[in-house]
Structures are given as C-alpha cells and as structure tokens.
Amino acid sequence: MRKLLFLLFTIVLAFCLPADLLYSQTSDKEMRELLKSLKNEKKINFFFDMSQAKIHGKSEADFVYHEDLNSLYDWTNLWEVEYKPNLIHDFLVAFTSQMTFRGNKVKFGDYADAKYQIRIVVKLIAPKGSTKMQAFFEDTANQSVLFKLDIVGTGGVFGSTVNLMGDGFKRAGKDLAKQLDYVFRKGKVGEFNKKPFVEKSFPLI
C-alpha cells in the first residue's frame, strides 16, 4: 500500500513541476538523447526578434528614423516591407543551405504548429554589418528553453548599409548551422560556444 501511495505521489508531483524544472532534473544521458533526436523532427519553427537589437549603437526605431532623415526614399516603409524581411531571408537561406549540405533533413521556417522552435534574438548590428545574435531552441508547448547558442556573423567591406548587414546575416546563418549540426550529431552544445556573450567585446567596425 505504501509503495502504491508513493507511486501516485510521484506521478502527481511530475505533473505539477514546471517544465524548466523537469528539464533540469533530466539526466545528462537523457538530455543528450533528446537533443540528438531533434534531427528526426519533420519541421521546426523559426522566429526572429529584433526588439533588443542595437543597430549602429541605436535602438531599431531610432536607427530607422535616422536613416529616414538622411534618405531620399521612405526608409521607414522600406525597412519593414523590404530591407528587414530580406535580411531574415538571407539568414534563413544561408542557414538552411548549410544544414542541408551537412545532411540534415529537417525543414525550418514558418511552422507555428511545430513541436520545437528556434527564436533568434538579434543583439547587435555594427556599421559594417557584423552582427551578434542569440538562438534559443525552445519546446513550443512548454515555452521552455532546451539550449541557447551565441551566433556571430562578420559583415562586409563595400556596399550599402543594408548590403553590409546582409553579409553579416548570411554568415550568422552559417554559424548557426555549424553549431546546430553539432548539437544534432553529438547531443550537446559545442565547446566553441562556451565563451560568455559580452557585447562590449564585439568591435563596432
């Protein structure tokens, strides 16, 4: 009888614990198997967040306002309907191309019904287009983070402001592919990602 009561208590406790705590109690072996199994997912949702971005040392809104003042075109509208969507597209094309090249068959894109999602938080875009981002791999249902990756993309040398950003976003996409492929194969975050994310260490070139 005591064993039965203990079993029932354990089951109830498991349902009551927050998802993040459950993940924290998962053994290293179980977590590695979970991460390795992600490569078998049919599709994974992708979500971009630029609300925290510092672009040329300014918030996104201030950066767009400044560019609009110094442009003959409607930069505010162009940023929303053309420039920003194209940057995200450049990132995704570079990322998915590299993932496919490395033998991964998972589809990445706008899949709101997917079990997992990658939330890309853009942190910094320098004047030459170099960028820093963070990728949060999340369980969609539980809104819990399985792991986080720091991403860097080097910008360009010549071209317009948006073209230089495009270079940075493409290389950031390739960097994410390299790191995520490692997670899929090894079931853990690569050692090259152990350095802390410090914005001040990134040169505003």
Side-chain angles (χ1 to χ4, degrees), residues 184-201:
F184 283 3
R185 287 186 294 106
K186 301 292 187 179
K188 62 179 182 178
V189 175
E191 294 298 324
F192 45 74
N193 192 47
K194 296 300 183 182
K195 294 181 180 179
F197 183 82
V198 182
E199 270 191 22
K200 291 182 179 180
S201 68

Side-chain angles (χ1 to χ4, degrees), residues 5 15 31 66 100 107 142 145 181 199 205:
L5 289 173
F15 279 105
M31 180 56 75
H66 180 268
T100 301
K107 292 182 178 179
N142 298 324
V145 178
D181 176 68
E199 270 191 22
I205 57 175

Side-chain angles (χ1 to χ4, degrees), residues 8-19 22:
L8 289 173
F9 175 77
T10 304
I11 294 173
V12 171
L13 182 61
F15 279 105
C16 294
L17 284 173
L22 283 174

Side-chain angles (χ1 to χ4, degrees), residues 66-76 78 83:
H66 180 268
E67 292 297 316
D68 191 57
L69 286 178
N70 293 281
S71 174
L72 297 175
Y73 305 102
D74 185 355
W75 226 88
T76 303
L78 286 170
Y83 296 158

